[in-house]
Each structure stands twice: as C-alpha cells, then as structure tokens.
Amino acid sequence: MLQAKDRGNKRFQSKQYRAAVREYGAAILALPAAEMEKSEEAFLRGTLHCNRAAAWLQLAAATRSDAATSAAAAALEDCLADCTASLAALEHAGAQGVAPVWRKALFRRALAHEQLGAPSPAVEDLVRVVGAQAAASEHPSDDAMSALHRILGAGPLPADAALGRVVEVLVAVLSRGLNGPEVEHAGGALPGAAGAPAPATGATATATPGANLVSSEHKLQAYSLLTVILTARNGARSAPMRAFIASKGPGVAHTHLHSMEGDWMADAKRGTLRLVDALVRMPTVRAAVAALDLSPHGLHAATSEGVHGAGCTH
C-alpha cells in the first residue's frame, strides 16, 4: 500500500497524472474496510484520497478545451468525490480542522466547485479553511484568500447566512495582532474554535508590532470583500451586517485607521485605508463605533486633505 502511494507521488511529480490516479487508487484498495480502520489507517486513507483529488484537478486542467469539456467535468466530479471521502476519513481519524491535509482537501474541493460553476459551496469550503487557520492563530493561506476574493468578487453573492460566516472569518483575519477589548476574540466562534467567548468592553485596542499582524495583501483583500458585502447588504438587520457588528468588526476597522503598525504606507498607497474609511462611514457601522465611545474616524482617514487628514502630525 505504501509502495503504491510512493509510486503515485512519483507519477504526480512527473506530471503523469492519470498514472498517479491509478497508483493512489491501488493504495486505497489495499487498505482495510473503512469501518474496520484504526485512526492511523483512516488518516492514510484521507491522505490518499486528497492526493488523488489533486491528480484529478490536474487532469481537468489538462483536458479543459472545447473538445474535452465533458472529460474535464468528469475529472472535477471525481475530485469532489475524493475530497469528500478524504474529509470523512480524516474526521474518523480525529484530524479535522488541524491537519494540513484536511485543509488541502477542503481547498481542492472548493476549486472543483468553482470550476464546475458552483460558487456557493466553494465559498463555504474556503471559509472553513480560512476559519480553521484563524482559530489556530495562523496566517491565512494566500491561495485560499485569493480564491475567496476571486469568487466573491465575480458575484453573484451567496445567501445572507453564508455571507455572515464570510464576514466573521474576514474580521478574524483582520484582527491578527490587535490587542484590546474592542477586538478581543474578534470573529466570534470560528471553524475549529471551542466556542464563542463572551464580549468585553474597555480601553481602545492597539496593534502589536511584528509578524502577527495581518499582511498588507490580506488586509486589502479582506476589506475589499467586506466593502462589497456590506454595501450590498447594508441594512442593520441583514445577517452580514449583524455578523460584522457582533464579531467586533467596527473596533477592528477603527483600530486599523488609528494604528501605524504594519505596512501602513503600502496600505495607503494601495487604497486599503480608503476602503476602511468608507466602511466606518456606513451609518450602521458609525453607530457601532459611537457605541464603543471611539472617534468615528482615525488618523489614517482618507480625506481631500491627504491620507491622514487635517491636523495629523505624522
């Protein structure tokens, strides 16, 4: 079984994807029946299905032409099946939410859904990936963030309930490295988290220097998506806006406007700070900021007088 797995890996590395599919399949068949598996065998089954899903994705890409559309679609459907089987096996092994292979299976399933023209389940899987990373205090995957930005940016937007979960995860990504009651536990209960902590009140949040802060690219992607979502669903009672308020999004946005930690100059040049300012100016968000007893605009508020605004000494 392990020899077949190794052969599959070598075939994949040599871009012999159909041969890799066969080798991974042989390794899967050599495993005990799923209901008889021990946790380590279930983990191996999950890994093999995930590896074969990667090969199916590559086969779909290689056959994605007008003459082979049906072959590409069939490969994508096989990818979906393998990813779902991988996730089930990894859950049986107790590895859901923490193992890198679990996240790979979700990400590959999201790509297959996207390519099959099903954006909503793709977004759901991507939110689980980024949410699990946020719950583990890890930097989000560049690939997952880019895919989420690409799919939601292309529209149409999913249902409000799904968008609410997207908003919670984006706020959790943006809150990396921020300290203070207004942003503590920002994002609420995320995939992989034990539960939603109780909210706190108190002094204004601050930013912690260093690698823990959200990257400039992820910040731009997250605020771009939040602007799109909350502009489209800007009612105070909409699920996305309620999620933004409940997950302490206003405190996070306010802190980013005030803080000069991170690559704030790049944020200004790329237009990220203008997005944050526009977000904070939304009536419902402005009211939430006022309830926190914070100034509705920070030092970086984008105004006609410059990035920092009048009276700024920076």
Side-chain angles (χ1 to χ4, degrees):
M1 143 202 349
L2 293 179
Q3 290 178 339
K5 176 179 179 287
D6 291 340
R7 289 196 300 269
N9 291 342
K10 290 178 181 177
R11 294 286 188 264
F12 188 92
Q13 292 164 5
S14 301
K15 299 184 179 181
Q16 298 174 291
Y17 302 121
R18 195 160 296 280
V21 164
R22 288 195 297 270
E23 295 293 354
Y24 290 136
I28 291 169
L29 289 174
L31 286 166
E35 61 272 13
M36 302 294 292
E37 283 178 333
K38 299 177 182 178
S39 61
E40 59 269 21
E41 293 167 337
F43 188 88
L44 177 57
R45 179 184 293 277
T47 301
L48 289 168
H49 277 292
C50 188
N51 288 357
R52 190 166 67 176
W56 285 124
L57 274 178
Q58 293 297 330
L59 281 172
T63 57
R64 197 175 295 119
S65 65
D66 291 341
T69 301
S70 61
L76 291 171
E77 292 289 354
D78 286 330
C79 175
L80 288 179
D82 266 327
C83 288
T84 300
S86 173
L87 293 167
L90 293 169
E91 182 176 355
H92 179 61
Q96 71 273 23
V98 292
V101 65
W102 180 85
R103 300 171 190 179
K104 288 179 182 178
L106 277 173
F107 179 70
R108 289 166 185 169
R109 190 168 71 174
L111 293 183
H113 277 308
E114 179 191 11
Q115 293 171 35
L116 286 168
S120 291
V123 167
E124 183 178 343
D125 282 343
L126 291 169
V127 165
R128 291 178 69 189
V129 173
V130 178
Q133 291 170 323
S137 299
E138 299 174 5
H139 285 288
S141 159
D142 290 341
D143 290 338
M145 285 293 292
S146 295
L148 196 59
H149 187 260
R150 180 179 65 247
I151 295 171
L152 288 172
L157 294 176
D160 273 18
L163 286 178
R165 291 189 290 272
V166 173
V167 167
E168 290 172 351
V169 166
L170 292 177
V171 172
V173 168
L174 289 167
S175 69
R176 280 190 60 85
L178 301 183
N179 300 315
E182 275 70 37
V183 298
E184 187 180 5
H185 306 306
L190 298 169
T201 58
T204 303
T206 60
T208 300
N212 283 336
L213 291 171
V214 61
S215 72
S216 183
E217 178 63 22
H218 291 166
K219 190 187 293 185
L220 175 60
Q221 290 173 331
Y223 276 120
S224 296
L225 287 176
L226 285 172
T227 301
V228 169
I229 293 169
L230 297 180
T231 299
R233 306 286 198 276
N234 61 6
R237 295 186 178 183
S238 73
M241 185 61 79
R242 290 201 313 270
F244 185 67
I245 303 299
S247 61
K248 303 191 177 182
V252 172
H254 181 271
T255 301
H256 280 143
L257 283 176
H258 275 289
S259 172
M260 293 187 69
E261 299 293 355
D263 198 351
W264 64 266
M265 186 62 75
D267 294 339
K269 290 180 178 179
R270 301 176 80 178
T272 306
L273 297 177
R274 292 184 183 276
L275 289 171
V276 184
D277 182 66
L279 198 63
V280 172
R281 288 178 185 271
M282 291 182 179
T284 304
V285 179
R286 182 191 287 265
V289 170
L292 293 172
D293 197 24
L294 302 174
S295 169
H297 304 294
L299 297 177
H300 293 180
T303 70
S304 59
E305 297 165 337
V307 173
H308 289 187
C312 180
T313 58
H314 295 296

